[in-house]
Amino acid sequence: FIYIFMIFIVVGCMSDPTSPTGMDCIEDCHLHISAPSLDMDENGYYHMEFMDGYAQTFSTLSANVGIENQKLGWISNKEILINGVWTNLVNKVSYTDNSGMGHTVLSAWPEFVGDTIKVYCGYWTQDNCHTHFVDSLEVIVEDIE
């Protein structure tokens, strides 16, 4: 039984003769998220300056995955109550463009000044291996002095 199971596992992720690599798995997949318009400190935290006089401050976050038309899921560890509905601080879904880049928007309200927001991004590969990729970053919301 174990022998048959091992053969199933080994053969299950190999041999698609039409695939250029001979495998059903996408090998160029990866995930790295960043906040290109924010400064990063030596500890790896990004810093967002909250703009005085505004209800919200926004920043674009980017995900490099290496493949196009990939659906990405985004979520933060913080939410805000808007009209009785808890709302996440990032748009929850985006898709990559033809260069393998996807984007979302992080929004901060005055309540988050002095707080650190952790944002996660992830996706499953659309191949037979169904690999799950996850990355995260942290943004410190600061008051402009």
Side-chain angles (χ1 to χ4, degrees):
F1 177 73
I2 293 174
Y3 179 71
I4 293 171
F5 180 74
M6 292 299 291
I7 289 175
F8 176 73
I9 294 295
V10 171
V11 174
C13 203
M14 292 180 58
S15 75
D16 173 6
T18 62
S19 168
T21 64
M23 297 182 74
D24 292 331
C25 304
I26 299 172
E27 296 179 4
D28 295 332
C29 296
H30 54 273
L31 175 59
H32 175 73
I33 63 173
S34 63
S37 62
L38 301 178
D39 292 328
M40 182 192 291
D41 67 22
E42 64 276 358
N43 297 313
Y45 291 90
Y46 289 95
H47 293 264
M48 173 190 271
E49 294 181 347
F50 191 85
M51 300 174 67
D52 287 335
Y54 289 87
Q56 293 174 275
T57 297
F58 301 95
S59 185
T60 300
L61 305 179
S62 298
N64 181 345
V65 303
I67 53 176
E68 63 183 41
N69 300 319
Q70 178 63 54
K71 183 178 181 179
L72 304 174
W74 298 84
I75 195 164
S76 74
N77 67 338
K78 307 285 182 183
E79 294 181 321
I80 188 166
L81 190 60
I82 301 175
N83 297 326
V85 177
W86 286 104
T87 304
N88 206 271
L89 303 186
V90 292
N91 295 332
K92 292 185 179 182
V93 175
S94 67
Y95 288 85
T96 58
D97 59 20
N98 59 2
S99 66
M101 293 294 295
H103 307 280
T104 195
V105 174
L106 168 65
S107 57
W109 280 261
E111 297 93 302
F112 297 103
V113 171
D115 208 348
T116 301
I117 301 166
K118 188 158 189 168
V119 177
Y120 299 89
C121 179
Y123 72 98
W124 290 94
T125 57
Q126 298 172 351
D127 59 14
N128 289 336
C129 293
H130 303 291
T131 306
H132 187 216
F133 290 87
V134 176
D135 195 12
S136 65
L137 58 75
E138 293 180 286
V139 177
I140 299 171
V141 182
E142 300 172 327
D143 212 355
I144 296 178
E145 306 202 21

